[in-house]
Every structure is written in C-alpha cells, then in structure tokens.
Amino acid sequence: MERGGTAVIADRASAYVSDETWKKLVRQHRRRGCDDLARLARSILEGKERLHDVVARTAGGLLAWLGRPKIERVFAQELARRIPLPVDAQLSTAARGLQIAGIYVCVVGSRDLADCACLRDVLRVEGEERLHQLVQGAMQDWQSLPRRMRDDADG
C-alpha cells in the first residue's frame, strides 16, 4: 500500500486522469524512468514561452504598422511578453503535473533521484533556494508531528 507523499500524488492524479490511465502511465515508465515525461513537460513550458514571443512580436508589428515610435513598440513588446496569457496557468499546471508524475515514477521505481530528469528540471526551474525552503518546511512538519499527534489524540 502506498504511504506518504506518493499516496498524495497518486490521489491528486486521480482528480485529473482516470485510475486506469494513471496506473498504465506508472507501469510503462516505472522501469525506464521519467525522461519522456520530462521532455514533454519541458516542451510545454518552452511552447508557452514561444507563445509569449509571438504575442510580443505581433504587438510590436501592429504598432509599427500604425507608425508608432520605436520606444512604444519596444514597450508594448516587453509588456506583452510579460503579461500572463489566459492559457499560462493551464500549461504550467500540465507541465508541473507531468514533472510530479515523473518524480513519482522514479520514487516508486526505486530509481536514484539524482538520475530523475523531472526532479532535475524542477530544481533547475525552482532553484536550490526553493528546494531549501521545501526541506525547511518538511523539517518543521516533522518537528511538530509529536504535538499534532497529541492534539489529534485529545480531539
């Protein structure tokens, strides 16, 4: 039976995909790792960046066509590149979901996490500082566990 973080990941995945699809994904990737999932997640994130570039170029091109000064075109391009698009959250969520699924596959497949492509990508994007924050949060949870267990027993 699954326990801890892997159970949470599996439960959360069931909110988005069928149990059959989740089990098949894990079964197919368990032995070979998450490299395919990491590449797909990376492609989604890179596609999101390309979409922002297209919107920025379009804004600049439209202002050039209207004869606006270069500084206005540059400003519009930079603004358009940075403003969130309606699909940004969905694309990021899909990519993060693939990465989390990949980390799950590596954990349940007893793979060395140093070889986990999805974990490496998350660390590359989130950075070591974020990893440090996650570890600190986990340590605080661990330290407060005895108190929480007493509170649960009393309640």
Side-chain angles (χ1 to χ4, degrees):
M1 182 169 184
E2 295 177 318
R3 300 201 185 280
T6 56
V8 171
I9 292 170
D11 288 344
R12 192 70 182 135
S14 68
Y16 295 99
V17 297
S18 69
D19 200 40
E20 177 184 336
T21 299
W22 175 250
K23 287 178 181 174
K24 189 173 182 179
L25 175 96
V26 172
R27 196 171 40 250
Q28 285 183 353
H29 286 84
R30 193 175 196 158
R31 286 187 185 91
R32 57 179 204 224
C34 71
D35 291 351
D36 293 343
L37 297 171
R39 275 192 295 279
L40 181 55
R42 217 174 298 121
S43 293
I44 290 171
L45 294 172
E46 288 169 359
K48 186 176 95 167
E49 293 302 315
R50 284 193 299 271
L51 182 59
H52 278 267
D53 288 342
V54 166
V55 170
R57 283 193 310 271
T58 302
L62 178 62
L63 289 177
W65 182 74
L66 293 172
R68 303 308 305 169
K70 183 174 180 175
I71 187 60
E72 289 180 18
R73 294 191 314 258
V74 170
F75 179 80
Q77 286 176 316
E78 288 185 21
L79 185 64
R81 188 171 281 115
R82 289 180 176 92
I83 290 178
L85 298 173
V87 297
D88 279 355
Q90 291 87 347
L91 292 172
S92 294
T93 299
R96 182 67 68 188
L98 288 165
Q99 291 169 329
I100 296 300
I103 294 168
Y104 177 91
V105 164
C106 290
V107 168
V108 299
S110 299
R111 299 180 66 82
D112 182 357
L113 290 182
D115 293 331
C116 180
C118 288
L119 181 60
R120 282 194 313 268
D121 280 355
V122 169
L123 286 173
R124 183 177 50 81
V125 171
E126 297 291 333
E128 288 184 38
E129 179 59 32
R130 179 68 176 137
L131 177 61
H132 180 70
Q133 291 170 354
L134 293 172
V135 169
Q136 290 291 43
M139 287 173 39
Q140 289 172 353
D141 285 348
W142 184 261
Q143 291 169 344
S144 67
L145 185 61
R147 181 181 40 79
R148 287 199 320 246
M149 290 178 68
R150 281 194 308 275
D151 292 345
D152 288 346
D154 294 340

